[in-house]
Amino acid sequence: MTLPLPFDNSYARLPDRFYARVAPTAVEAPRLVRLNRPLAHELGLDPDALEAPGGIEVLAGRRVPEGAEPLAAAYAGHQFGQFVPQLGDGRAILLGEVVGRDGRRRDIQLKGSGPTPFSRRGDGRAALGPVLREYLLSESMHALGIPTTRALAAVTTGERVIRETVLPGAILTRVASSHIRVGTFQFFAARGDVEGLRTLADHVLARHDPEAAAAEQPYRALLEGVVRRQAELVARWLHVGFIHGVMNTDNMSIAGETIDYGPCAFLDAYDPATAFSSIDRHGRYAYGNQPRIALWNLTRLAEALVPLLAEDEAAGVAQAEAARGGFAGQFETAYFGGLRGKLGLTTARDGDAELASDLLKAMAENGADFTLTFRRLCEAVPGAEGGPAAVEAVRGLFIDPTAYDRWAEGWHRRLADEPGDAAARSRAMRAVNPAYIPRNHRVEEMIEAAVERQDFGPFETLLTILTRPYEDQPRFARYAEAPEGGGRGYRTFCGT
Ligand code: AMP
Ligand code: MG
């Protein structure tokens, strides 16, 4: 297959007020940094054609491919708790949708491809650092098995973007099940546009939740589906130490994918109060607050949907309440279920949640690295090959190693009740406790090399490592290590 791409644009068929039609702005001298060939193949696109000059022109927004119907979507959103009735794609342009080899429909969007009617005071551009960061982190999340938008390509533009300093410009091609957000529903709800709300809900039902579409109360089923997907998603974030950093309602996907990789980062030392984002001064989006914030955002979605849920408002509110009420139980099931797996438990017993919570508490009190603790536990299973050296390796992560010893007594007692041998247990644990996450100090080194020295070697290396996060990869062992000082004081910035 060659270009043109096989577009089928369902969002562009929605009414005009859902978006603004706008073409990407041509950039000066595009250069391909990286094409995600396996993803291109999955989408039914020809990787060779995309890597050829004509393909790069498309990925850089210099040429609108046949079949594309470029648009910037309208949406609203609560940003740090404040409602903004009009946001929208200010520096992203949806080229269109393709249906992949797996039958799944996906958006192909350029991020950083020039201004749109929603740009407000922004330039519509993206800098190279944040583009590489999003590429790497989103592909890392995918490899970890966590639902996420994907990165199809990164190109440099040959232009400069002005931030606090002058930086090289770049464009990311982002792939998502859709870019519909909680804020998209809020956009119509805030305008009292019930017809728009219903049209959007019907689009979402057809696209993301055909089962809910067939339910007795489809709009309630839609809300329940979003609630369930978010509960599971946030649980998965917590299992790998991921902090999204800017969980505004415009950054929460209806499809349940991790979206918007601006200021996100992974924990090193475990501390649930960790918030890396420079603008998150009060820790609203701190690691341990994420479940609460997800529910807060879902409550905003529930409110927006009230007019669709019942004829009269009181009944609609009751429906919304009931649908959102599922969150706590679904989150706990997903969260503690995942922690069980991380501890090598295949059966469920009373006390498992306390066992997991006690470990996390000891880790927090002792500055233990989140990822290393769980990875090293895999080898410290009683009877496993690692022996006493493996136990020492975990103990050494705790300021007071006896805190680990005290916890491990209970763990060993609990494991004695489990079926299966030690080798199988270690193996199962290694499949859920990654060795490699995008460590902040490595991500920073990678960005510096690319931006300061046009050296994309570290980006390529990290990508190789992070697309196999559960494998030991001995030659890259140093990339599994924690930074000096547990990574405290790290700061991230919104990718503007
Ligand atoms: P974010 O913090 O990335 O979720 O962005 C919040 C809003 O600001 C969205 O409407 C973005 O489209 C918009 N925005 C962010 N950066 C830019 C930029 N450089 N130019 C125009 N709009 C932007
Ligand atoms: Mg955003």
Side-chain angles (χ1 to χ4, degrees):
M1 197 186 299
T2 50
L3 298 165
L5 312 178
F7 284 111
D8 174 43
N9 308 320
S10 64
Y11 206 80
R13 292 194 284 269
L14 293 172
D16 285 348
R17 63 191 188 284
F18 279 60
Y19 48 76
R21 294 198 188 264
V22 53
T25 308
V27 301
E28 243 165 58
R31 221 197 93 210
L32 182 66
V33 174
R34 175 81 186 189
L35 176 74
N36 188 339
R37 292 182 62 97
L39 178 59
H41 180 80
E42 222 178 292
L43 295 173
L45 311 179
D46 179 356
D48 294 329
L50 283 171
E51 275 182 349
I56 297 171
E57 299 250 294
V58 169
L59 299 171
R62 267 165 71 104
R63 190 163 78 79
V64 174
E66 204 178 300
E69 293 171 88
L71 62 84
Y75 54 84
H78 276 90
Q79 301 191 307
F80 290 89
Q82 297 300 312
F83 186 64
V84 184
Q86 169 104 46
L87 288 164
D89 291 330
R91 56 161 167 171
I93 291 176
L94 178 68
L95 286 182
E97 302 154 31
V98 296
V99 177
R101 286 173 204 275
D102 53 4
R104 283 175 54 203
R105 173 180 296 274
R106 248 90 61 97
D107 276 2
I108 299 186
Q109 191 196 60
L110 302 180
K111 185 169 170 184
S113 55
T116 77
F118 307 119
S119 295
R120 295 172 289 167
R121 286 180 299 280
D123 59 1
R125 291 296 181 191
L128 177 59
V131 164
L132 295 181
R133 201 167 193 286
E134 172 154 356
Y135 193 122
L136 196 70
L137 269 77
S138 64
E139 288 305 302
S140 170
M141 288 291 267
H142 173 72
L144 287 164
I146 299 174
T148 177
T149 62
R150 304 283 309 271
L152 178 63
V155 296
T156 50
T157 59
E159 295 178 0
R160 293 169 196 293
V161 296
I162 297 159
R163 298 293 180 257
E164 261 134 53
T165 55
V166 178
L167 296 166
I171 297 174
L172 181 82
T173 306
R174 180 161 71 180
V175 171
S177 289
S178 83
H179 284 85
I180 301 167
R181 308 136 193 275
V182 168
T184 318
F185 282 94
Q186 291 181 294
F187 177 85
F188 296 102
R191 283 159 181 75
D193 181 354
V194 178
E195 199 189 304
L197 201 60
R198 192 182 309 277
T199 304
L200 178 64
D202 290 339
H203 176 81
V204 166
L205 281 167
R207 189 162 173 182
H208 295 304
D209 222 335
E211 263 174 51
E216 200 169 311
Q217 294 174 289
Y219 302 125
R220 171 152 173 192
L222 181 159
L223 178 57
E224 285 169 348
V226 179
V227 168
R228 191 186 61 248
R229 291 193 287 272
Q230 282 301 328
E232 285 166 5
L233 180 65
V234 173
R236 300 298 311 275
W237 289 355
L238 299 191
H239 294 150
V240 296
F242 179 78
I243 305 171
H244 182 284
V246 61
M247 288 177 72
N248 295 332
T249 57
D250 52 304
N251 292 334
M252 186 186 257
S253 153
I254 293 297
E257 292 173 346
T258 311
I259 188 170
D260 207 309
Y261 283 83
C264 65
F266 284 68
L267 281 174
D268 291 299
Y270 177 68
D271 174 358
T274 307
F276 291 119
S277 169
S278 59
I279 56 170
D280 192 6
R281 286 198 194 84
H282 305 290
R284 178 181 170 91
Y285 299 141
Y287 172 87
N289 259 349
Q290 296 182 113
R292 207 171 314 152
I293 291 293
L295 180 57
W296 192 90
N297 290 348
L298 291 164
T299 306
R300 305 288 82 78
L301 176 65
E303 285 166 1
L305 287 172
V306 163
L308 302 186
L309 292 172
E311 286 290 323
D312 78 289
E313 193 177 327
V317 169
Q319 294 267 347
E321 269 298 317
R324 140 196 191 284
F327 181 87
Q330 285 157 357
F331 170 75
E332 296 233 322
T333 302
Y335 177 62
F336 287 110
L339 283 176
R340 260 197 200 98
K342 287 176 83 69
L343 295 178
L345 306 175
T346 57
T347 62
R349 296 281 157 85
D350 286 345
D352 288 350
E354 287 72 24
L355 183 70
S357 302
D358 288 349
L359 173 61
L360 291 169
K361 185 158 171 278
M363 287 163 64
E365 286 167 0
N366 286 279
D369 182 82
F370 183 83
T371 305
L372 286 177
T373 300
F374 282 102
R375 185 69 177 184
R376 292 187 185 175
L377 275 186
C378 308
E379 315 305 325
V381 161
E385 264 176 38
V391 175
E392 274 315 306
V394 197
R395 295 181 82 241
L397 296 169
F398 290 69
I399 293 169
D400 171 11
T402 66
Y404 172 75
D405 299 337
R406 283 192 295 280
W407 174 79
E409 274 176 40
W411 184 45
H412 294 172
R413 265 199 309 279
R414 175 64 184 83
L415 285 177
D417 287 350
E418 279 283 312
D421 63 19
R425 184 165 300 130
S426 286
R427 212 169 327 114
M429 287 173 72
R430 277 199 299 270
V432 292
N433 291 310
Y436 297 99
I437 53 155
R439 296 271 184 188
N440 301 320
H441 61 298
R442 295 293 184 189
V443 173
E444 291 304 318
E445 281 169 16
M446 174 281 283
I447 291 174
E448 196 189 301
V451 172
E452 306 293 331
R453 300 188 294 282
Q454 294 77 51
D455 174 8
F456 294 94
F459 171 72
E460 294 294 331
T461 304
L462 281 182
L463 200 56
T464 304
I465 298 168
L466 293 170
T467 44
R468 293 169 198 81
Y470 298 106
E471 292 171 23
D472 280 326
Q473 308 184 61
R475 73 191 173 109
F476 293 124
R478 65 186 190 284
Y479 288 87
E481 285 165 17
E484 295 283 320
R488 282 180 201 81
Y490 182 66
R491 280 274 154 272
T492 59
F493 303 91
C494 278
T496 52

